[in-house]
Amino acid sequence: MAGGTPATEALVNAGVEFVLRPYAHDPGSTAYGDEAAAALDVDPLRIFKTLVIDIGGARPELAVAVLPVGTQLDLKRFAAALGAKKAAMADRDQVARSTGYVLGGVSPVAQKVQLPTLIDETAQLWDTILVSAGKRGLQVELSPVDLADVVSATFADIAR
């Protein structure tokens, strides 16, 4: 498959319907979600970013947040939804080691280590949402329910 990544291969293997949405990534851009929204002419509340969060305190314990690029993660609500005392953004090296993806191309699908995953509840307002397909410049459009099923995620109120 053109544009094949671990994420797209996992979706194919799971029998999930999806559409690849490639776009020209500017190597100078670090606002990956905003860049994707503009390039694909999609509402930034329909493109979902994937963040890796440390909920372990003294000993790192990672989890995944999937939320609209037009919002910010509410760390307190995220921690509470997972029964953790606090949450903080994981460092870049932890993200790469845990997911197997580069920043700006982190997909919630087919990460090296399956982590607890929460998808912001607003995903359910859309028939389809877009998430990274596992590399910069490539999004995958799919049903939020299919995404939740394939990554064993739950929906929660985690964005602000």
Side-chain angles (χ1 to χ4, degrees):
M1 142 183 297
T5 66
T8 59
E9 290 171 17
L11 292 171
V12 167
N13 292 338
V16 171
E17 288 186 35
F18 66 92
V19 176
L20 282 179
R21 300 285 303 268
Y23 62 95
H25 166 64
D26 174 358
S29 175
T30 56
Y32 307 110
D34 292 333
E35 178 189 42
L40 296 171
D41 193 27
V42 174
D43 187 325
L45 296 177
R46 194 171 152 231
I47 294 188
F48 282 62
K49 57 189 169 188
T50 304
L51 304 177
V52 178
I53 310 301
D54 185 349
I55 57 170
R59 226 173 83 210
E61 181 183 341
L62 302 178
V64 174
V66 182
L67 65 155
V69 299
T71 66
Q72 292 185 331
L73 178 64
D74 186 313
L75 289 167
K76 287 183 181 184
R77 281 192 273 184
F78 183 80
L82 289 174
K85 290 184 177 155
K86 63 180 185 170
M89 298 297 293
D91 73 41
R92 298 169 75 92
D93 292 337
Q94 285 178 309
V95 173
R97 274 194 313 274
S98 173
T99 67
Y101 295 117
V102 297
L103 290 183
V106 176
S107 178
V109 180
Q111 295 184 357
K112 281 179 21 181
V113 178
Q114 172 100 25
L115 300 171
T117 302
L118 297 178
I119 301 171
D120 187 65
E121 64 187 9
T122 61
Q124 299 171 100
L125 299 173
W126 304 97
D127 291 334
T128 61
I129 59 171
L130 288 81
V131 296
S132 175
K135 65 182 182 183
R136 295 174 185 157
L138 188 62
Q139 295 281 308
V140 61
E141 182 176 347
L142 73 170
S143 150
V145 172
D146 286 345
L147 176 61
D149 286 347
V150 82
V151 300
S152 300
T154 55
F155 293 100
D157 181 13
I158 58 171
R160 55 180 163 92

